[in-house]
Amino acid sequence: MDLLIKNIKGLVQVRDSPPQKVCGSEMAELPVIENAWLIASNGKIMKYGRMENFTGLDAAEIIDATGRYVMPCFVDSHTHLVFAASRENEFVDKLRGLSYEEIARRGGGILNSANKLQQTPEDELFEMSLERAHEIMGFGTGAVEIKSGYGLTVEDELKMLRIARRIGEETPLTVKTTFLGAHAIPNGRDRNDYIREVMEVMIPRVAEENLADYCDVFCEKGFFTPEETVLIVEQGKKYGLKPKIHANQLRISGGVQAGVQTSALSVDHLESIGQEEIDVLKGSATMATMLPGAAFFLNSDYPPARRMMEAGLAVSIASDYNPGSAPCGKMAFMLSLACIKMKMTPQEAFNAATINAAYAMDVGDLLGSITPGKDASFILTKEIPSVEYIPYAFGSDVIDRVIIKGKIIE
Ligand code: NIG
Ligand code: FE
């Protein structure tokens, strides 16, 4: 046996046979075993139980978790963590009253990040991105989706995706990568010509070099229309890339409908969403992913999480870690925002950031719950009074250690 954790105050999100996702009112339930033990071997969860039934087992590594909780690592199903520079000057412009769209029109925003990224050599960009990957592992993230979209040329999009793949190879993180060539139209490019390049050059190259799992489009007024979105992700599907779509961030964009129509794995953002979109999502296999860090940073409305759950939807949360709209990859803070700003209970927020998030990036067979056979990827908390304390103490560092695939990270 490799790793034994005993005297665990609460083993959180334990599910012997987990559902693929938890929907609506099911999200209120977060199964916890109090006073528990857990054994992991070869990076996988083997067994767990209550301390009163513990017969004593040996292991190479034994952790006494008295007073502390063990929970599955967070799954962050939406990030743009490969970027070349921060954009705090735009942050200050925003404080002075400029909108996200105005900043984009003045050459800031995505095009600013693309400009910097195009000038940054691959190895340098990898080192910066690797540092962020280590940062989020320290925050308890065990799996992350990473998008391209700041390259906007064939070579720079491929460069971003190679870096994202390398992060998956050189860290214990489980990484899924998403091609987001349709993030913005580059300066000086003809719109139709660029879209043709995305579809006919970039997607085939990305697929040929096996650099992406998913295909994303920023479906938003001023960026890409729902019709363009459908065309691009359908082309991605022909090359084996499943759709995951940026939808309804700034206004109702038709992105939710485009996502459901194309069987997207998830539609993400949803700050602007009406009953029609909720009805479209109902009964579909598409996960509704909310990015509360972006709503917080842009000071916008938040998705109506409670209304969505009352309609029976499964919802998930992710960080959207990026330099423009969400410069923060700390999932515990996303949980706090989900509770404080979207009135989710801590139990609902934990489900949104683990089991439902794993569904949103198709890693539910490996992560998202404490289940025999899944990865031994856990957060071991400090001594804290309750699970609710985690989103409550929004500025505190509640994590003692992070274990990914059976290895202690810190
Ligand atoms: O998810 N909305 C589109 N993409 C990113 C932000 C991009 C940027 O501003 O750099 C997002 O919010
Ligand atoms: Fe995003």
Side-chain angles (χ1 to χ4, degrees):
M1 295 297 166
D2 292 335
L3 172 68
L4 165 65
I5 313 179
K6 57 183 189 177
N7 298 320
I8 304 167
K9 181 172 182 176
L11 185 59
V12 181
Q13 187 66 301
V14 188
R15 295 179 188 262
D16 289 344
S17 27
Q20 282 194 310
K21 56 183 176 177
V22 283
C23 303
S25 58
E26 296 164 356
M27 289 191 66
E29 272 164 56
L30 183 71
V32 178
I33 301 183
E34 282 169 15
N35 198 20
W37 57 271
L38 176 145
I39 283 172
S41 184
N42 295 322
K44 297 285 181 190
I45 298 168
M46 299 292 290
K47 278 195 210 166
Y48 43 74
R50 292 178 198 284
M51 279 311 287
E52 63 248 38
N53 304 324
F54 182 62
T55 47
L57 281 161
D58 216 5
E61 177 87 37
I62 299 177
I63 296 175
D64 186 338
T66 300
R68 296 176 292 160
Y69 289 85
V70 170
M71 48 198 246
C73 275
F74 296 124
V75 173
D76 193 349
S77 70
H78 181 137
T79 80
H80 309 246
L81 71 70
V82 177
F83 57 85
S86 56
R87 300 199 330 238
E88 63 279 8
N89 45 347
E90 293 177 16
F91 166 64
V92 176
D93 286 344
K94 246 175 273 160
L95 300 178
R96 294 204 171 108
L98 289 191
S99 72
Y100 182 75
E101 287 156 301
E102 279 162 343
I103 289 168
R105 272 199 295 276
R106 292 174 179 210
I110 296 166
L111 296 184
N112 180 8
S113 280
N115 198 13
K116 301 238 169 66
L117 187 134
Q118 289 163 2
Q119 292 164 27
T120 308
E122 185 157 341
D123 279 338
E124 209 177 297
L125 191 57
F126 172 71
E127 290 305 325
M128 296 176 190
S129 309
L130 185 64
E131 203 170 302
R132 292 180 202 120
H134 283 291
E135 179 195 23
I136 64 168
M137 284 193 278
F139 292 156
T141 295
V144 63
E145 180 259 16
I146 305 175
K147 298 178 195 294
S148 67
Y150 292 134
L152 307 185
T153 68
V154 180
E155 283 315 315
D156 291 299
E157 284 294 304
L158 297 176
K159 173 169 94 179
M160 286 189 78
L161 291 170
R162 278 194 299 271
I163 289 170
R165 282 279 195 239
R166 221 174 127 192
I167 288 173
E169 286 153 16
E170 296 191 23
T171 71
L173 282 168
T174 295
V175 174
K176 295 273 185 172
T177 63
T178 301
F179 168 64
L180 177 57
H183 199 189
I185 305 285
N187 265 337
R189 287 294 302 266
D190 172 73
R191 173 173 201 89
N192 291 329
D193 184 55
Y194 182 67
I195 293 175
R196 203 172 312 116
E197 183 171 47
V198 165
M199 291 176 61
E200 291 173 15
V201 183
M202 293 188 189
I203 289 175
R205 282 284 303 276
V206 165
E208 193 183 309
E209 298 181 32
N210 190 23
L211 289 176
D213 305 296
Y214 307 119
C215 181
D216 194 347
V217 176
F218 186 16
C219 184
E220 196 74 42
K221 187 159 174 254
F223 293 86
F224 295 87
T225 67
E227 293 74 27
E228 290 163 347
T229 302
V230 170
L231 275 177
I232 295 166
V233 300
E234 284 295 347
Q235 172 77 344
K237 276 165 78 172
K238 284 194 199 135
Y239 284 85
L241 309 177
K242 218 171 172 187
K244 256 174 98 64
I245 294 176
H246 275 78
N248 298 36
Q249 177 179 17
L250 308 170
R251 52 177 70 76
I252 291 189
S253 69
V256 169
Q257 287 82 347
V260 172
Q261 181 193 330
T262 56
S263 308
L265 191 51
S266 67
V267 285
D268 303 24
H269 270 294
L270 313 178
E271 285 88 333
S272 305
I273 186 169
Q275 195 55 43
E276 199 181 316
E277 285 71 27
I278 292 176
D279 290 343
V280 165
L281 279 165
K282 221 174 151 179
S284 80
T286 300
M287 178 60 67
T289 296
M290 309 178 296
L291 310 171
F296 174 74
F297 189 77
L298 299 181
N299 210 11
S300 72
D301 289 341
Y302 287 77
R306 174 116 335 265
R307 221 173 110 205
M308 291 158 75
M309 288 185 296
E310 274 166 9
L313 296 189
V315 300
S316 77
I317 55 177
S319 74
D320 199 16
Y321 194 3
N322 77 75
S325 66
C328 171
K330 190 170 191 174
M331 283 297 284
F333 183 56
M334 303 307 139
L335 259 66
S336 298
L337 290 175
C339 296
I340 297 159
K341 296 292 193 179
M342 301 198 285
K343 307 275 186 296
M344 293 175 77
T345 64
Q347 287 71 20
E348 289 165 342
F350 273 111
N351 278 316
T354 54
I355 193 162
N356 283 358
Y359 178 95
M361 60 177 282
D362 216 1
V363 292
D365 54 338
L366 299 173
L367 291 122
S369 61
I370 304 286
T371 301
K374 283 200 185 185
D375 284 353
S377 296
F378 321 113
I379 293 168
L380 175 63
T381 69
K382 293 183 175 161
E383 287 198 26
I384 54 172
S386 62
V387 166
E388 288 84 352
Y389 184 84
I390 296 170
Y392 156 87
F394 70 88
S396 300
D397 178 11
V398 295
I399 297 178
D400 176 27
R401 279 190 228 180
V402 179
I403 298 164
I404 301 184
K405 296 175 183 158
K407 298 217 166 36
I408 297 170
I409 301 298
E410 61 163 46

